[in-house]
Amino acid sequence: TVAGTVLVRDIVPGVDGTNPAGFGVVGGFALLSVQLSAGDSEIWRTDGTFAGTVPLVDPTPIEVTPGNPLELAAGNGVLFFVADDGTTGRDPWKSDGTAAGTSLLKDISSGVGSSDPEEYVDAGSTTYFSAIDGGGRELWKTDGTTGGTVRIEDIRPGSNGSFPDKLAVIDGTLCFSANDGTNGLELWRSQGTAANTEMVVNLEAGSGSSNPAEIRDSGSFGRGIGFTAFTTASGTELYTTTGAVGNFALVDQIEAG
């Protein structure tokens, strides 16, 4: 309601604002990223009151390098985010909503190099994401422990990486786009192991890319997964798939050619 919509806290008084973003809920608190000044974003938490809206923890002193936490996502009872502590680079962190329970999850790219995790998506006890290590940007997963944070598969061996993108969990299966260096950017699936990480369909034959996007449950279409994709023959159209390798159907060629 209008009456029930109120300012919780003016974190940085004045006209500039803090650009709150990346809300996630964990431990009875909403966690969010706020911009305190140019180049410095931090994680705050709130219980919906002025007094309960406070910094969670500053992974990096401002005078060293800004923390700039981004990509907040809740999964398995914790919140995952990306931050730079000035020592390990931009890597995955986790929090249970308390300062004591906030820590670096894993230094994926050892030392000051950054793994720049992206695309966190929750699948119950597992959270998937993409990250950069010595093999380029590839598909990773975590169970919230350092030991359980591992690369699933080196889809494109070498330094280029397959750049997993558009991650979505549908009926327990992770669907995403990736480029294996041979077939272009196409639709892939995974259930968390190298053995079951595979391309679903190569819509744009050869090394061309169909650029799958808008990956989601197909709902009333009843075919499991809906997505948009490009082919030279049809342009960008809507497709569905059951997720089985080789299975796909063009829903309708809305604009011919």
Side-chain angles (χ1 to χ4, degrees), residues 53-235:
T53 303
V54 296
L56 174 62
V57 64
D58 182 356
T60 307
I62 294 175
E63 63 269 25
V64 177
T65 181
N68 289 332
L70 298 170
E71 294 281 340
L72 282 74
N76 201 22
V78 297
L79 186 85
F80 298 104
F81 61 97
V82 187
D84 185 343
D85 64 1
T87 302
T88 63
R90 289 175 54 79
D91 278 303
W93 284 62
K94 67 176 182 179
S95 177
D96 63 2
T98 69
T102 301
S103 63
L104 174 69
L105 178 58
K106 186 167 186 172
D107 184 9
I108 291 175
S109 186
S110 299
V112 296
S114 295
S115 63
D116 280 320
E118 295 179 351
E119 298 273 337
Y120 287 113
V121 61
D122 177 39
S125 61
T126 300
T127 296
Y128 296 105
F129 61 99
S130 74
I132 300 169
D133 62 4
R137 182 171 292 281
E138 293 292 352
L139 185 64
W140 284 67
K141 69 177 181 179
T142 183
D143 61 4
T145 68
T146 300
T149 303
V150 297
R151 186 177 65 188
I152 295 173
E153 169 73 334
D154 191 2
I155 294 173
R156 185 174 184 174
S159 60
N160 289 325
S162 65
F163 281 83
D165 196 13
K166 309 295 190 297
L167 275 64
V169 173
I170 302 172
D171 293 333
T173 297
L174 175 70
C175 301
F176 59 100
S177 65
N179 186 341
D180 64 4
T182 301
N183 298 296
L185 193 64
E186 298 292 348
L187 182 66
W188 284 64
R189 71 176 187 181
S190 178
Q191 291 184 324
T193 70
N196 56 37
T197 299
E198 52 196 342
M199 185 171 63
V200 175
V201 59
N202 185 12
L203 275 175
E204 183 69 356
S207 60
S209 296
S210 69
N211 299 312
E214 303 296 335
I215 302 169
R216 60 195 64 190
D217 191 319
S218 67
S220 60
F221 289 118
R223 289 181 55 86
I225 302 162
F227 63 100
T228 61
F230 168 86
T231 64
T232 301
S234 302

